[in-house]
Amino acid sequence: MAQFHVLAVDDSVIDRMLIERLLKTSSFHVTVVDSGTKALKFLGLVEDEVRNEKPHSIAAETDQVVEVNLIITDYCMPGMTGYDLLRKIKESNSLKDIPVVIMSSENVHQGLTEEGAEEFFLKPVQQSDVNKLKPHLLKTKVKNEDDLINNKRRIHNNAIPLKN
């Protein structure tokens, strides 16, 4: 079975290490970045201000498409906040279906689900929080499989019959 890929975004090195360890303990493939700007770049959504930064990962430098199944981001970060990152992801046609989970040391979850966040975790994130991620990941897996089936149907229905 393929691992689910989680993009973790946090400006605190300690919180990044903690969330990475918790996710890897739950058998997730994890990519960590330290800013919303670097997260957008990793996801292929590059803005003018992003182009001036040094690349964070090899995947961001190549043309390969990196499939991310879930994004977990800190709410309060310098520059682009987790809320700003959430809005940009939900405004993007190619990224809007990726579930986003917000985490914060402050209880700031009001309105985040209306903006498209799947969950809100209070820091420090616990293993019990990470266990709540699976249903969101399975929703995207089912949606991706449905899209694949529908695309195959569309191709099959539009196929031109071969003449003998």
Side-chain angles (χ1 to χ4, degrees):
M1 185 179 118
Q3 281 186 310
F4 288 113
H5 186 184
V6 178
L7 176 61
V9 188
D10 201 314
D11 60 311
S12 160
V13 68
I14 292 169
D15 287 332
R16 275 198 314 275
M17 288 169 58
L18 173 64
I19 193 70
E20 182 177 20
R21 187 177 50 100
L22 288 171
L23 290 166
K24 285 185 173 178
T25 299
S26 296
S27 300
F28 293 111
H29 172 68
V30 185
T31 300
V32 290
V33 294
D34 63 7
S35 72
T37 306
K38 288 180 182 173
L40 290 179
K41 184 168 186 173
F42 181 80
L43 294 164
L45 200 65
V46 181
E47 298 181 330
D48 291 334
E49 63 209 20
V50 178
R51 290 191 183 111
N52 297 328
E53 289 192 10
K54 289 185 171 75
H56 178 73
S57 69
I58 293 167
E61 293 177 87
T62 65
D63 289 334
Q64 77 184 50
V65 176
V66 179
E67 185 182 345
V68 172
N69 304 103
L70 184 131
I71 299 163
I72 184 163
T73 181
D74 185 20
Y75 180 80
C76 187
M77 296 183 288
M80 182 183 297
T81 66
Y83 178 77
D84 296 333
L85 178 61
L86 170 67
R87 277 196 14 254
K88 289 190 181 300
I89 288 166
K90 295 306 171 183
E91 289 168 1
S92 164
N93 286 334
S94 59
L95 304 176
K96 67 182 178 191
D97 292 327
I98 300 174
V100 178
V101 173
I102 304 280
M103 53 186 175
S104 178
S105 53
E106 298 170 28
N107 205 350
V108 292
H109 67 279
Q110 290 82 9
L112 290 174
T113 51
E114 288 83 4
E115 292 292 335
E118 300 291 330
E119 291 271 356
F120 174 82
F121 294 159
L122 202 54
K123 287 182 176 182
V125 176
Q126 309 282 321
Q127 189 64 50
S128 58
D129 294 322
V130 171
N131 295 343
K132 296 176 190 172
L133 298 176
K134 272 280 186 339
H136 302 300
L137 291 160
L138 294 174
K139 274 193 289 191
T140 59
K141 184 172 171 48
V142 168
K143 186 189 179 324
N144 290 343
E145 287 173 358
D146 287 348
D147 288 347
L148 189 64
I149 291 166
N150 289 335
N151 285 342
K152 284 182 179 175
R153 275 195 197 120
R154 208 173 3 255
I155 291 166
H156 179 73
N157 292 340
N158 292 334
I160 300 169
L162 296 173
K163 294 181 183 174
N164 290 341

mmCIF file with all atom_site columns, all heavy atoms in Angstrom, residues 5 13 23 29 41 46 49 54 60 70 72-74 84 99 103 105 109 118 137 152:
data_model
loop_
_atom_site.group_PDB
_atom_site.id
_atom_site.type_symbol
_atom_site.label_atom_id
_atom_site.label_alt_id
_atom_site.label_comp_id
_atom_site.label_asym_id
_atom_site.label_entity_id
_atom_site.label_seq_id
_atom_site.pdbx_PDB_ins_code
_atom_site.Cartn_x
_atom_site.Cartn_y
_atom_site.Cartn_z
_atom_site.occupancy
_atom_site.B_iso_or_equiv
_atom_site.pdbx_formal_charge
_atom_site.auth_seq_id
_atom_site.auth_comp_id
_atom_site.auth_asym_id
_atom_site.auth_atom_id
_atom_site.pdbx_PDB_model_num
ATOM 1   N N   . HIS A 1 5   ? 1.156   11.032 1.740   1.00 0.00 ? 5   HIS A N   1
ATOM 2   C CA  . HIS A 1 5   ? 2.178   12.076 1.809   1.00 0.00 ? 5   HIS A CA  1
ATOM 3   C C   . HIS A 1 5   ? 1.589   13.307 2.481   1.00 0.00 ? 5   HIS A C   1
ATOM 4   O O   . HIS A 1 5   ? 0.605   13.868 2.009   1.00 0.00 ? 5   HIS A O   1
ATOM 5   C CB  . HIS A 1 5   ? 2.649   12.419 0.393   1.00 0.00 ? 5   HIS A CB  1
ATOM 6   C CG  . HIS A 1 5   ? 3.791   13.384 0.357   1.00 0.00 ? 5   HIS A CG  1
ATOM 7   N ND1 . HIS A 1 5   ? 4.295   13.861 -0.815  1.00 0.00 ? 5   HIS A ND1 1
ATOM 8   C CD2 . HIS A 1 5   ? 4.530   13.967 1.340   1.00 0.00 ? 5   HIS A CD2 1
ATOM 9   C CE1 . HIS A 1 5   ? 5.294   14.697 -0.553  1.00 0.00 ? 5   HIS A CE1 1
ATOM 10  N NE2 . HIS A 1 5   ? 5.448   14.776 0.747   1.00 0.00 ? 5   HIS A NE2 1
ATOM 11  N N   . VAL A 1 13  ? 11.314  25.062 14.585  1.00 0.00 ? 13  VAL A N   1
ATOM 12  C CA  . VAL A 1 13  ? 12.049  23.831 14.310  1.00 0.00 ? 13  VAL A CA  1
ATOM 13  C C   . VAL A 1 13  ? 11.629  22.717 15.272  1.00 0.00 ? 13  VAL A C   1
ATOM 14  O O   . VAL A 1 13  ? 11.513  21.546 14.865  1.00 0.00 ? 13  VAL A O   1
ATOM 15  C CB  . VAL A 1 13  ? 13.584  24.078 14.329  1.00 0.00 ? 13  VAL A CB  1
ATOM 16  C CG1 . VAL A 1 13  ? 14.086  24.411 15.713  1.00 0.00 ? 13  VAL A CG1 1
ATOM 17  C CG2 . VAL A 1 13  ? 14.325  22.885 13.761  1.00 0.00 ? 13  VAL A CG2 1
ATOM 18  N N   . LEU A 1 23  ? 4.012   11.952 12.654  1.00 0.00 ? 23  LEU A N   1
ATOM 19  C CA  . LEU A 1 23  ? 3.480   11.488 11.364  1.00 0.00 ? 23  LEU A CA  1
ATOM 20  C C   . LEU A 1 23  ? 4.233   10.245 10.874  1.00 0.00 ? 23  LEU A C   1
ATOM 21  O O   . LEU A 1 23  ? 3.624   9.297  10.386  1.00 0.00 ? 23  LEU A O   1
ATOM 22  C CB  . LEU A 1 23  ? 3.552   12.611 10.326  1.00 0.00 ? 23  LEU A CB  1
ATOM 23  C CG  . LEU A 1 23  ? 2.586   13.777 10.555  1.00 0.00 ? 23  LEU A CG  1
ATOM 24  C CD1 . LEU A 1 23  ? 2.958   14.977 9.698   1.00 0.00 ? 23  LEU A CD1 1
ATOM 25  C CD2 . LEU A 1 23  ? 1.142   13.363 10.290  1.00 0.00 ? 23  LEU A CD2 1
ATOM 26  N N   . HIS A 1 29  ? 4.433   9.418  4.823   1.00 0.00 ? 29  HIS A N   1
ATOM 27  C CA  . HIS A 1 29  ? 5.592   10.032 4.180   1.00 0.00 ? 29  HIS A CA  1
ATOM 28  C C   . HIS A 1 29  ? 5.462   11.525 4.485   1.00 0.00 ? 29  HIS A C   1
ATOM 29  O O   . HIS A 1 29  ? 4.401   12.100 4.285   1.00 0.00 ? 29  HIS A O   1
ATOM 30  C CB  . HIS A 1 29  ? 5.564   9.765  2.670   1.00 0.00 ? 29  HIS A CB  1
ATOM 31  C CG  . HIS A 1 29  ? 6.613   10.516 1.924   1.00 0.00 ? 29  HIS A CG  1
ATOM 32  N ND1 . HIS A 1 29  ? 7.950   10.234 2.056   1.00 0.00 ? 29  HIS A ND1 1
ATOM 33  C CD2 . HIS A 1 29  ? 6.525   11.545 1.056   1.00 0.00 ? 29  HIS A CD2 1
ATOM 34  C CE1 . HIS A 1 29  ? 8.639   11.067 1.286   1.00 0.00 ? 29  HIS A CE1 1
ATOM 35  N NE2 . HIS A 1 29  ? 7.790   11.866 0.680   1.00 0.00 ? 29  HIS A NE2 1
ATOM 36  N N   . LYS A 1 41  ? 5.555   26.854 -2.908  1.00 0.00 ? 41  LYS A N   1
ATOM 37  C CA  . LYS A 1 41  ? 6.557   26.533 -3.919  1.00 0.00 ? 41  LYS A CA  1
ATOM 38  C C   . LYS A 1 41  ? 6.677   25.017 -4.091  1.00 0.00 ? 41  LYS A C   1
ATOM 39  O O   . LYS A 1 41  ? 6.730   24.507 -5.206  1.00 0.00 ? 41  LYS A O   1
ATOM 40  C CB  . LYS A 1 41  ? 7.909   27.137 -3.543  1.00 0.00 ? 41  LYS A CB  1
ATOM 41  C CG  . LYS A 1 41  ? 8.955   26.917 -4.601  1.00 0.00 ? 41  LYS A CG  1
ATOM 42  C CD  . LYS A 1 41  ? 10.176  27.754 -4.367  1.00 0.00 ? 41  LYS A CD  1
ATOM 43  C CE  . LYS A 1 41  ? 11.109  27.589 -5.567  1.00 0.00 ? 41  LYS A CE  1
ATOM 44  N NZ  . LYS A 1 41  ? 12.239  28.480 -5.507  1.00 0.00 ? 41  LYS A NZ  1
ATOM 45  N N   . VAL A 1 46  ? 3.734   28.957 -7.497  1.00 0.00 ? 46  VAL A N   1
ATOM 46  C CA  . VAL A 1 46  ? 4.815   29.916 -7.290  1.00 0.00 ? 46  VAL A CA  1
ATOM 47  C C   . VAL A 1 46  ? 4.307   31.337 -7.500  1.00 0.00 ? 46  VAL A C   1
ATOM 48  O O   . VAL A 1 46  ? 3.630   31.632 -8.481  1.00 0.00 ? 46  VAL A O   1
ATOM 49  C CB  . VAL A 1 46  ? 5.987   29.622 -8.252  1.00 0.00 ? 46  VAL A CB  1
ATOM 50  C CG1 . VAL A 1 46  ? 7.121   30.602 -8.038  1.00 0.00 ? 46  VAL A CG1 1
ATOM 51  C CG2 . VAL A 1 46  ? 6.481   28.202 -8.062  1.00 0.00 ? 46  VAL A CG2 1
ATOM 52  N N   . GLU A 1 49  ? 7.062   36.660 -5.046  1.00 0.00 ? 49  GLU A N   1
ATOM 53  C CA  . GLU A 1 49  ? 7.913   36.725 -3.856  1.00 0.00 ? 49  GLU A CA  1
ATOM 54  C C   . GLU A 1 49  ? 8.609   35.397 -3.592  1.00 0.00 ? 49  GLU A C   1
ATOM 55  O O   . GLU A 1 49  ? 9.670   35.355 -3.009  1.00 0.00 ? 49  GLU A O   1
ATOM 56  C CB  . GLU A 1 49  ? 7.096   37.139 -2.636  1.00 0.00 ? 49  GLU A CB  1
ATOM 57  C CG  . GLU A 1 49  ? 6.012   36.131 -2.283  1.00 0.00 ? 49  GLU A CG  1
ATOM 58  C CD  . GLU A 1 49  ? 4.811   36.762 -1.602  1.00 0.00 ? 49  GLU A CD  1
ATOM 59  O OE1 . GLU A 1 49  ? 4.626   37.961 -1.718  1.00 0.00 ? 49  GLU A OE1 1
ATOM 60  O OE2 . GLU A 1 49  ? 4.069   36.029 -0.954  1.00 0.00 ? 49  GLU A OE2 1
ATOM 61  N N   . LYS A 1 54  ? 15.592  30.810 -2.046  1.00 0.00 ? 54  LYS A N   1
ATOM 62  C CA  . LYS A 1 54  ? 16.340  29.617 -2.456  1.00 0.00 ? 54  LYS A CA  1
ATOM 63  C C   . LYS A 1 54  ? 15.406  28.409 -2.400  1.00 0.00 ? 54  LYS A C   1
ATOM 64  O O   . LYS A 1 54  ? 14.591  28.304 -1.499  1.00 0.00 ? 54  LYS A O   1
ATOM 65  C CB  . LYS A 1 54  ? 17.512  29.395 -1.501  1.00 0.00 ? 54  LYS A CB  1
ATOM 66  C CG  . LYS A 1 54  ? 18.615  30.419 -1.663  1.00 0.00 ? 54  LYS A CG  1
ATOM 67  C CD  . LYS A 1 54  ? 19.783  30.062 -0.779  1.00 0.00 ? 54  LYS A CD  1
ATOM 68  C CE  . LYS A 1 54  ? 20.974  30.915 -1.057  1.00 0.00 ? 54  LYS A CE  1
ATOM 69  N NZ  . LYS A 1 54  ? 20.875  32.261 -0.550  1.00 0.00 ? 54  LYS A NZ  1
ATOM 70  N N   . ALA A 1 60  ? 10.909  20.634 -5.568  1.00 0.00 ? 60  ALA A N   1
ATOM 71  C CA  . ALA A 1 60  ? 10.452  21.962 -5.963  1.00 0.00 ? 60  ALA A CA  1
ATOM 72  C C   . ALA A 1 60  ? 11.264  22.478 -7.151  1.00 0.00 ? 60  ALA A C   1
ATOM 73  O O   . ALA A 1 60  ? 10.796  23.314 -7.910  1.00 0.00 ? 60  ALA A O   1
ATOM 74  C CB  . ALA A 1 60  ? 10.566  22.929 -4.792  1.00 0.00 ? 60  ALA A CB  1
ATOM 75  N N   . LEU A 1 70  ? -2.276  15.588 2.212   1.00 0.00 ? 70  LEU A N   1
ATOM 76  C CA  . LEU A 1 70  ? -2.783  16.419 3.295   1.00 0.00 ? 70  LEU A CA  1
ATOM 77  C C   . LEU A 1 70  ? -1.724  17.443 3.661   1.00 0.00 ? 70  LEU A C   1
ATOM 78  O O   . LEU A 1 70  ? -0.526  17.164 3.559   1.00 0.00 ? 70  LEU A O   1
ATOM 79  C CB  . LEU A 1 70  ? -3.109  15.553 4.520   1.00 0.00 ? 70  LEU A CB  1
ATOM 80  C CG  . LEU A 1 70  ? -3.745  16.290 5.700   1.00 0.00 ? 70  LEU A CG  1
ATOM 81  C CD1 . LEU A 1 70  ? -4.984  15.545 6.190   1.00 0.00 ? 70  LEU A CD1 1
ATOM 82  C CD2 . LEU A 1 70  ? -2.758  16.444 6.843   1.00 0.00 ? 70  LEU A CD2 1
ATOM 83  N N   . ILE A 1 72  ? -0.625  19.995 6.843   1.00 0.00 ? 72  ILE A N   1
ATOM 84  C CA  . ILE A 1 72  ? -0.837  20.417 8.223   1.00 0.00 ? 72  ILE A CA  1
ATOM 85  C C   . ILE A 1 72  ? 0.056   21.631 8.448   1.00 0.00 ? 72  ILE A C   1
ATOM 86  O O   . ILE A 1 72  ? 1.257   21.586 8.183   1.00 0.00 ? 72  ILE A O   1
ATOM 87  C CB  . ILE A 1 72  ? -0.577  19.274 9.233   1.00 0.00 ? 72  ILE A CB  1
ATOM 88  C CG1 . ILE A 1 72  ? -0.898  19.734 10.645  1.00 0.00 ? 72  ILE A CG1 1
ATOM 89  C CG2 . ILE A 1 72  ? 0.808   18.697 9.112   1.00 0.00 ? 72  ILE A CG2 1
ATOM 90  C CD1 . ILE A 1 72  ? -1.074  18.607 11.650  1.00 0.00 ? 72  ILE A CD1 1
ATOM 91  N N   . THR A 1 73  ? -0.558  22.738 8.858   1.00 0.00 ? 73  THR A N   1
ATOM 92  C CA  . THR A 1 73  ? 0.190   23.983 8.962   1.00 0.00 ? 73  THR A CA  1
ATOM 93  C C   . THR A 1 73  ? -0.051  24.703 10.280  1.00 0.00 ? 73  THR A C   1
ATOM 94  O O   . THR A 1 73  ? -1.159  24.661 10.823  1.00 0.00 ? 73  THR A O   1
ATOM 95  C CB  . THR A 1 73  ? -0.145  24.923 7.778   1.00 0.00 ? 73  THR A CB  1
ATOM 96  O OG1 . THR A 1 73  ? 0.617   26.130 7.901   1.00 0.00 ? 73  THR A OG1 1
ATOM 97  C CG2 . THR A 1 73  ? -1.620  25.278 7.726   1.00 0.00 ? 73  THR A CG2 1
ATOM 98  N N   . ASP A 1 74  ? 1.008   25.356 10.750  1.00 0.00 ? 74  ASP A N   1
ATOM 99  C CA  . ASP A 1 74  ? 0.894   26.231 11.904  1.00 0.00 ? 74  ASP A CA  1
ATOM 100 C C   . ASP A 1 74  ? 0.034   27.419 11.496  1.00 0.00 ? 74  ASP A C   1
ATOM 101 O O   . ASP A 1 74  ? 0.042   27.847 10.340  1.00 0.00 ? 74  ASP A O   1
ATOM 102 C CB  . ASP A 1 74  ? 2.298   26.693 12.325  1.00 0.00 ? 74  ASP A CB  1
ATOM 103 C CG  . ASP A 1 74  ? 2.301   27.518 13.596  1.00 0.00 ? 74  ASP A CG  1
ATOM 104 O OD1 . ASP A 1 74  ? 1.327   27.447 14.369  1.00 0.00 ? 74  ASP A OD1 1
ATOM 105 O OD2 . ASP A 1 74  ? 3.286   28.242 13.817  1.00 0.00 ? 74  ASP A OD2 1
ATOM 106 N N   . ASP A 1 84  ? -3.451  32.367 5.668   1.00 0.00 ? 84  ASP A N   1
ATOM 107 C CA  . ASP A 1 84  ? -3.183  32.814 4.293   1.00 0.00 ? 84  ASP A CA  1
ATOM 108 C C   . ASP A 1 84  ? -2.907  31.614 3.384   1.00 0.00 ? 84  ASP A C   1
ATOM 109 O O   . ASP A 1 84  ? -3.387  31.551 2.251   1.00 0.00 ? 84  ASP A O   1
ATOM 110 C CB  . ASP A 1 84  ? -1.967  33.752 4.243   1.00 0.00 ? 84  ASP A CB  1
ATOM 111 C CG  . ASP A 1 84  ? -2.184  35.048 5.000   1.00 0.00 ? 84  ASP A CG  1
ATOM 112 O OD1 . ASP A 1 84  ? -3.351  35.484 5.124   1.00 0.00 ? 84  ASP A OD1 1
ATOM 113 O OD2 . ASP A 1 84  ? -1.186  35.627 5.481   1.00 0.00 ? 84  ASP A OD2 1
ATOM 114 N N   . PRO A 1 99  ? -6.879  18.238 1.706   1.00 0.00 ? 99  PRO A N   1
ATOM 115 C CA  . PRO A 1 99  ? -7.316  18.621 3.048   1.00 0.00 ? 99  PRO A CA  1
ATOM 116 C C   . PRO A 1 99  ? -6.222  19.410 3.771   1.00 0.00 ? 99  PRO A C   1
ATOM 117 O O   . PRO A 1 99  ? -5.046  19.086 3.651   1.00 0.00 ? 99  PRO A O   1
ATOM 118 C CB  . PRO A 1 99  ? -7.569  17.284 3.755   1.00 0.00 ? 99  PRO A CB  1
ATOM 119 C CG  . PRO A 1 99  ? -7.549  16.243 2.696   1.00 0.00 ? 99  PRO A CG  1
ATOM 120 C CD  . PRO A 1 99  ? -6.786  16.787 1.538   1.00 0.00 ? 99  PRO A CD  1
ATOM 121 N N   . MET A 1 103 ? -2.876  24.002 12.962  1.00 0.00 ? 103 MET A N   1
ATOM 122 C CA  . MET A 1 103 ? -2.485  23.769 14.358  1.00 0.00 ? 103 MET A CA  1
ATOM 123 C C   . MET A 1 103 ? -1.973  25.086 14.942  1.00 0.00 ? 103 MET A C   1
ATOM 124 O O   . MET A 1 103 ? -1.402  25.907 14.232  1.00 0.00 ? 103 MET A O   1
ATOM 125 C CB  . MET A 1 103 ? -1.436  22.664 14.459  1.00 0.00 ? 103 MET A CB  1
ATOM 126 C CG  . MET A 1 103 ? -0.227  22.862 13.596  1.00 0.00 ? 103 MET A CG  1
ATOM 127 S SD  . MET A 1 103 ? 0.872   21.445 13.646  1.00 0.00 ? 103 MET A SD  1
ATOM 128 C CE  . MET A 1 103 ? 2.068   21.986 12.419  1.00 0.00 ? 103 MET A CE  1
ATOM 129 N N   . SER A 1 105 ? -0.808  27.060 19.021  1.00 0.00 ? 105 SER A N   1
ATOM 130 C CA  . SER A 1 105 ? -0.709  27.009 20.481  1.00 0.00 ? 105 SER A CA  1
ATOM 131 C C   . SER A 1 105 ? -1.812  27.859 21.116  1.00 0.00 ? 105 SER A C   1
ATOM 132 O O   . SER A 1 105 ? -2.044  27.785 22.304  1.00 0.00 ? 105 SER A O   1
ATOM 133 C CB  . SER A 1 105 ? 0.665   27.484 20.943  1.00 0.00 ? 105 SER A CB  1
ATOM 134 O OG  . SER A 1 105 ? 0.937   28.743 20.388  1.00 0.00 ? 105 SER A OG  1
ATOM 135 N N   . HIS A 1 109 ? -9.478  28.604 16.467  1.00 0.00 ? 109 HIS A N   1
ATOM 136 C CA  . HIS A 1 109 ? -10.122 27.807 15.419  1.00 0.00 ? 109 HIS A CA  1
ATOM 137 C C   . HIS A 1 109 ? -11.427 28.379 14.879  1.00 0.00 ? 109 HIS A C   1
ATOM 138 O O   . HIS A 1 109 ? -11.956 27.867 13.894  1.00 0.00 ? 109 HIS A O   1
ATOM 139 C CB  . HIS A 1 109 ? -10.339 26.372 15.909  1.00 0.00 ? 109 HIS A CB  1
ATOM 140 C CG  . HIS A 1 109 ? -11.339 26.266 17.019  1.00 0.00 ? 109 HIS A CG  1
ATOM 141 N ND1 . HIS A 1 109 ? -11.015 26.534 18.317  1.00 0.00 ? 109 HIS A ND1 1
ATOM 142 C CD2 . HIS A 1 109 ? -12.646 25.932 17.000  1.00 0.00 ? 109 HIS A CD2 1
ATOM 143 C CE1 . HIS A 1 109 ? -12.100 26.374 19.074  1.00 0.00 ? 109 HIS A CE1 1
ATOM 144 N NE2 . HIS A 1 109 ? -13.088 25.998 18.307  1.00 0.00 ? 109 HIS A NE2 1
ATOM 145 N N   . GLU A 1 118 ? -9.994  21.290 7.507   1.00 0.00 ? 118 GLU A N   1
ATOM 146 C CA  . GLU A 1 118 ? -10.645 20.035 7.891   1.00 0.00 ? 118 GLU A CA  1
ATOM 147 C C   . GLU A 1 118 ? -10.684 19.869 9.404   1.00 0.00 ? 118 GLU A C   1
ATOM 148 O O   . GLU A 1 118 ? -11.638 19.331 9.950   1.00 0.00 ? 118 GLU A O   1
ATOM 149 C CB  . GLU A 1 118 ? -9.901  18.835 7.284   1.00 0.00 ? 118 GLU A CB  1
ATOM 150 C CG  . GLU A 1 118 ? -9.830  18.843 5.780   1.00 0.00 ? 118 GLU A CG  1
ATOM 151 C CD  . GLU A 1 118 ? -11.160 18.620 5.109   1.00 0.00 ? 118 GLU A CD  1
ATOM 152 O OE1 . GLU A 1 118 ? -12.037 17.927 5.674   1.00 0.00 ? 118 GLU A OE1 1
ATOM 153 O OE2 . GLU A 1 118 ? -11.337 19.140 3.998   1.00 0.00 ? 118 GLU A OE2 1
ATOM 154 N N   . LEU A 1 137 ? -7.601  11.715 4.814   1.00 0.00 ? 137 LEU A N   1
ATOM 155 C CA  . LEU A 1 137 ? -6.739  11.148 3.783   1.00 0.00 ? 137 LEU A CA  1
ATOM 156 C C   . LEU A 1 137 ? -7.510  10.145 2.934   1.00 0.00 ? 137 LEU A C   1
ATOM 157 O O   . LEU A 1 137 ? -7.361  10.097 1.719   1.00 0.00 ? 137 LEU A O   1
ATOM 158 C CB  . LEU A 1 137 ? -5.535  10.469 4.428   1.00 0.00 ? 137 LEU A CB  1
ATOM 159 C CG  . LEU A 1 137 ? -4.547  11.424 5.079   1.00 0.00 ? 137 LEU A CG  1
ATOM 160 C CD1 . LEU A 1 137 ? -3.690  10.704 6.085   1.00 0.00 ? 137 LEU A CD1 1
ATOM 161 C CD2 . LEU A 1 137 ? -3.692  12.088 4.029   1.00 0.00 ? 137 LEU A CD2 1
ATOM 162 N N   . LYS A 1 152 ? -11.380 7.300  -17.068 1.00 0.00 ? 152 LYS A N   1
ATOM 163 C CA  . LYS A 1 152 ? -11.317 6.094  -17.907 1.00 0.00 ? 152 LYS A CA  1
ATOM 164 C C   . LYS A 1 152 ? -12.637 5.879  -18.639 1.00 0.00 ? 152 LYS A C   1
ATOM 165 O O   . LYS A 1 152 ? -12.666 5.522  -19.806 1.00 0.00 ? 152 LYS A O   1
ATOM 166 C CB  . LYS A 1 152 ? -10.965 4.866  -17.053 1.00 0.00 ? 152 LYS A CB  1
ATOM 167 C CG  . LYS A 1 152 ? -9.512  4.811  -16.677 1.00 0.00 ? 152 LYS A CG  1
ATOM 168 C CD  . LYS A 1 152 ? -9.200  3.564  -15.878 1.00 0.00 ? 152 LYS A CD  1
ATOM 169 C CE  . LYS A 1 152 ? -7.733  3.523  -15.523 1.00 0.00 ? 152 LYS A CE  1
ATOM 170 N NZ  . LYS A 1 152 ? -7.405  2.400  -14.653 1.00 0.00 ? 152 LYS A NZ  1
#
